[in-house]
């Protein structure tokens, strides 16, 4: 279907207006791509790598927020900006961790 790929809304010769509609097939009607074993392996490795990267980012954010709250709660608050009574940063981090835990 060249009209859909060209992103035109009318014929270039007669200027007839097309009425194009696109719909997405349900997942159970999708067909499997014909991939070689090497291509399939590359796709699976790419997906696995990206999932692992997302998990590492989430984990590192979790650890940083947890350490920030521990530092704010400790008696020897070395940073000084983490006073839990006055710090907006402390309240935001605390609220985000409690929100994630409640999910």
């Amino acid at each position: 279907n060249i009209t859909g790929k060209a992103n035109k809304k009318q014929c270039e010769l007669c200027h007839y207006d097309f009425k194009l509609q696109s719909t997405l097939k349900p997942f159970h009607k999708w067909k499997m791509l014909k991939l070689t074993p090497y291509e399939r392996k590359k796709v699976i490795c790419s997906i696995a790598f990206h999932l692992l990267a997302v998990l590492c980012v989430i984990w590192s954010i979790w650890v940083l927020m947890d350490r920030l709250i521990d530092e704010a709660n400790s008696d020897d608050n070395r940073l000084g900006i983490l006073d839990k009574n006055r710090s907006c940063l402390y309240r935001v981090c605390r609220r985000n961790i409690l929100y994630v835990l409640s999910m």
Side-chain angles (χ1 to χ4, degrees):
N1 184 354
I2 198 161
T3 56
K5 292 180 181 174
N7 200 17
K8 301 284 182 181
K9 296 186 179 183
Q10 58 178 257
C11 176
E12 293 177 356
L13 299 175
C14 65
H15 301 290
Y16 175 78
D17 290 329
F18 297 119
K19 295 180 182 175
L20 297 177
Q21 294 180 345
S22 62
T23 58
L24 188 62
K25 284 184 182 179
F27 184 73
H28 67 278
K29 290 187 179 180
W30 287 10
K31 293 182 181 176
M32 186 74 166
L33 289 175
K34 294 178 182 175
L35 300 173
T36 64
Y38 176 71
E39 292 171 331
R40 185 174 291 129
K41 179 181 169 184
K42 280 178 63 175
V43 168
I44 290 172
C45 287
S46 176
I47 291 171
F49 170 78
H50 283 87
L51 286 175
L52 182 65
V54 167
L55 287 174
C56 287
V57 167
I58 291 171
W59 176 78
S60 64
I61 290 172
W62 177 268
V63 168
L64 288 172
M65 289 176 64
D66 190 45
R67 287 188 181 176
L68 178 67
I69 289 174
D70 286 346
E71 177 71 22
N73 287 333
S74 69
D75 290 334
D76 60 337
N77 188 351
R78 285 171 270 150
L79 296 179
I81 62 170
L82 296 175
D83 185 10
K84 60 183 172 184
N85 295 325
R86 290 179 273 161
S87 176
C88 178
L89 181 63
Y90 172 79
R91 287 186 298 238
V92 169
C93 290
R94 184 73 176 169
R95 184 177 12 165
N96 288 340
I97 286 183
L98 292 175
Y99 175 73
V100 170
L101 289 176
S102 68
M103 292 172 92

